[in-house]
Structures are given as C-alpha cells and as structure tokens.
Amino acid sequence: MHATDSPEDHETALRLILEMQSSASTACAYLGRHEAGIREDLENLDQDWRETLRVSRGADGRVDGAVLIEWDTELDRSWVHGPWTRQGRWEQQAPGLLESVIAQAPVARHEMYAAVENAQMAWLAERCGWAAGEANFEYAKELEDGPSALRMEDDAVRRANPADVPRLAELHEAEFPGTYASTSDLVEHGGSYSTFVHAEGGGMLGYLSGQMQEGDTLYVDFLAVAPDARRRGIARGLLDAAAHRMGARTTTLTVDEHRPGAQRAYEALGFSRTAATRPYRRGGAADRAASPRDGAEAPQM
C-alpha cells in the first residue's frame, strides 16, 4: 500500500471514489453520494486528502484501491474515509489499505462509517478486529413551502456568540460527552457550524448547531433542550428558526439506534427515515462518543 504524489494517481483514485460512493453498498458514509458534494467534502477535510491518500495496485500497475484519513489530535481520534476497491479486490486489498492509512494518524482512536447494507465494511471491521457500534438512523424533512411559522417570538431564538460559551458548554457536554466538536468549535467565527440558542429570561433553554450542505440542505449536528424546559416546543422552534434563517429547503439529522423515543419525536415533527448507517471503531471499544454527523439529540416535548 503506497502513498503517491502523482496527479494521475490522484485523478484515478478520485474516479474510483466517485464510482464507489454512488452506491450505499460500497460507500463511506462520511462523504456525499454526488460528485459536487464529494469534491467539496474532500477539499474541506482537516488534512489534505492527497497527502493522506494510500492506494493499492493490481498486477497491471493500475490503482485498484484507495483510502484516506483525517484526524483531530485534541479529540485523539481519526476518521477513515474508505477504503474503496475495484470489484473483486476487496478481500485482497482492503485490510492492507486500512492498516496503512491509520498508521499516519497520531491518535489512539479510529473510526470508519458506512451504510448498514455495506456488508464488505462489516466484514473488514470483523477481519481487522474493529468493534461495530450501534446503527444511526438518518432523517430528513422537506420544506417545500419554506419553514413553518415559528412557535415562539422571533427574538427568543438568536445566533450564539462567545458570551454564550459557558452555558452552551453545560448543555453540549452534558448531552454529547466526548463528541466530535467542542463547544468552542460551535461558536468559532467563520467556522463550519451555525449555532442558534433559545434564550429566555436571561437563560439558555436549548441550542441547535448545524451546517449547510449541497446548496439548501441544513444538517443538524446537535440539538439539545435543558431538562427543565422540555415539552414546551423549544426543539421545534429551534428547528424552524434555523431552517428559516439559513434559507434551508431540507433539514436532515441522525438519531441513534438506542433512542426509539427520539425517532418517534422526529417523526412527529414531520421527519422521515432515509438511511441507516453504522460506525466501526478501533481503540477504546467501549467509547460511545458520537460519530461525525451522528449528533442530533432527541427533542423531548
């Protein structure tokens, strides 16, 4: 398994990635399913994908497998993108690709992520001794007529600012301990996340943090409401306000397999299940830290 600085190899690997990402049975769930989104995702990784890329070659010297990785030393974890191989090459190439790519990351915990129907990823995890995590169910809500009217006064929901960090940290760290984004990430100026808080009477009763994807889709990474403020429509109001202010036509999120109550709650809010994905982890098998795009907490109403 080799690193490569060849532009031709980069292009060949990219074509392989685009092909494999088009089907849930061979896709990595961290990247999108369409070319424009995949290219954008790759360019936005924490490490340059061309530098972490590892490839395998067939007898003819052609690239027949690829894998890449990104990591966060503060969180002590990495996320493996792929592996992807040509048809019939998985069992020969995937284990070596996986081992070669995680050797680059200066962290102790590693994760892969794929659709439940990606049987070859499940095989690879078992073959290499990675632990399978619980499934994550993806939900979406189409907003064809735009977001519904807010269930609260407009000034109850506002964008988060640095002064909110102490209270936001209490909510975020209580609901998502050890997750993939810190509280400071959620309010970083010019950062990836747009974060909204429900502020009332000088207190913060809930928050939502998400990202716009592929044009007009809002992905909700995190949503939590203070325990003493639940069942008051705050979660619904945060979802409506975020969609309205971000100009979203679709809102998406994920819910863990062990949260049937959350699944019912989002379905009651008009969300429909669109996919099921599963993480595979190495290093701290008992760690239940949320996966990337595996964060939205159930609105308890």
Side-chain angles (χ1 to χ4, degrees), residues 160-234:
N161 60 60
D164 294 318
V165 167
R167 176 56 177 151
L168 184 60
E170 292 179 15
L171 286 174
H172 185 59
E173 293 168 12
E175 297 293 343
F176 307 104
T179 192
Y180 57 91
S182 66
T183 305
S184 59
D185 290 335
L186 303 187
V187 296
E188 180 183 0
H189 179 70
S192 300
Y193 300 97
S194 294
T195 300
F196 299 87
V197 299
H198 175 90
E200 185 177 299
M204 185 187 301
L205 302 186
Y207 79 100
L208 178 152
S209 187
Q211 307 174 63
M212 290 300 292
Q213 299 176 338
E214 298 184 4
D216 57 3
T217 296
L218 170 63
Y219 181 82
V220 179
D221 288 84
F222 305 103
L223 171 60
V225 176
D228 59 356
R230 290 168 180 168
R231 298 181 177 85
R232 289 173 48 185
I234 290 172

Side-chain angles (χ1 to χ4, degrees), residues 123-148:
W123 174 90
L124 178 63
E126 184 176 4
R127 168 71 170 73
C128 296
W130 291 48
E134 67 175 327
N136 307 301
F137 299 121
E138 299 178 12
Y139 283 85
K141 182 179 180 180
E142 300 293 335
L143 307 172
E144 295 181 359
D145 299 320
S148 59

